[in-house]
Amino acid sequence: DTLRKWTKMGLIGSYLHVLTPEEANELQHLAMESRLGIPLIFGIDAIHGNCLAPDNTSYPTSIGQACSFDTEMAYKIARQTALEMRAMNMHWTFNPNVEVARDARWGRCGETFGEDPFMNAINGTAYVRGAQRAGAICTPKHFVAHGSPVGGVNLASVAGGSYDLYNTYLPPFRMIIDECAPLSIMNCYS
């Protein structure tokens, strides 16, 4: 198959949503046979546990976690999710979603920690720390102000100006960067 051939040639650097350790290991072995032997990085959307993969734990959505006001729980969920990911040879999660959700019509509110910038910031930071401790890489998502589209339509434009940008939408991303950087990609290969 073409993807396996390209992997063996060293033309592919990452795979997203590989759901079994057997497939991940096979692809990793093919990558190591390439001329440079650069390992692959595997990513998965483990937004509330690594539950897209079989036999992994499913946790409450981020908005449900935020209702508890328990950042330690966000840390523990992230750590356990990362341990389950790493057991499957997954390195990278597209999580946490720290968008400030200000329009309940937006269909992805459940992926966020809600409408409060501070709640998103502290839970998102706890999540990244927990995942890092277990050797996983996080990508806080999606894009600043993506969570407040006009009319609640996914990917629509956002109303507001620089005040909203700097005081509402950027703080969760900024706190994660300030508190959790630099991310250590080497942890995922140890």
Side-chain angles (χ1 to χ4, degrees):
D1 122 288
T2 305
L3 289 177
R4 282 172 169 67
K5 182 175 103 179
W6 289 349
T7 302
K8 194 170 183 175
M9 292 171 61
L11 300 176
I12 294 179
S14 68
Y15 278 91
L16 311 179
H17 294 282
V18 173
L19 298 180
T20 67
E22 294 79 19
E23 184 180 14
N25 291 337
E26 176 193 352
L27 293 168
Q28 195 68 270
H29 288 297
L30 289 171
M32 299 312 289
E33 291 177 23
S34 68
R35 183 177 65 84
L36 297 176
I38 298 171
L40 295 169
I41 185 168
F42 293 100
I44 193 152
D45 200 9
I47 191 75
H48 51 93
N50 192 28
C51 56
L52 293 174
D55 302 319
N56 280 251
T57 309
S58 180
Y59 293 101
T61 60
S62 297
I63 198 133
Q65 294 172 40
C67 292
S68 72
F69 295 92
D70 185 353
T71 56
E72 182 66 21
M73 180 174 61
Y75 174 91
K76 289 177 180 176
I77 287 172
R79 186 174 185 287
Q80 186 59 39
T81 297
L83 289 171
E84 290 180 2
M85 288 171 49
R86 296 300 294 130
M88 295 182 56
N89 202 9
M90 299 293 125
H91 311 105
W92 167 35
T93 179
F94 322 132
N95 200 35
N97 183 341
V98 292
E99 290 295 338
V100 177
R102 290 284 171 95
D103 188 332
R105 295 174 294 178
W106 183 50
R108 303 183 83 168
C109 287
E111 292 180 30
T112 75
F113 292 108
E115 66 181 355
D116 182 71
F118 183 69
M119 185 61 68
N120 275 277
I122 61 173
N123 279 303
T125 300
Y127 191 96
V128 171
R129 281 189 183 137
Q132 284 179 333
R133 289 277 165 86
I137 303 164
C138 291
T139 299
K141 62 181 186 181
H142 288 97
F143 189 73
V144 175
H146 175 76
S148 297
V150 172
V153 177
N154 198 35
L155 302 175
S157 60
V158 175
S162 59
Y163 179 86
D164 296 319
L165 178 67
Y166 288 105
N167 292 292
T168 302
Y169 303 118
L170 275 174
F173 292 94
R174 181 64 189 254
M175 185 173 182
I176 290 170
I177 291 166
D178 289 347
E179 300 284 325
C180 300
L183 297 176
S184 174
I185 194 167
M186 295 313 295
N187 285 345
C188 70
Y189 291 110
S190 55

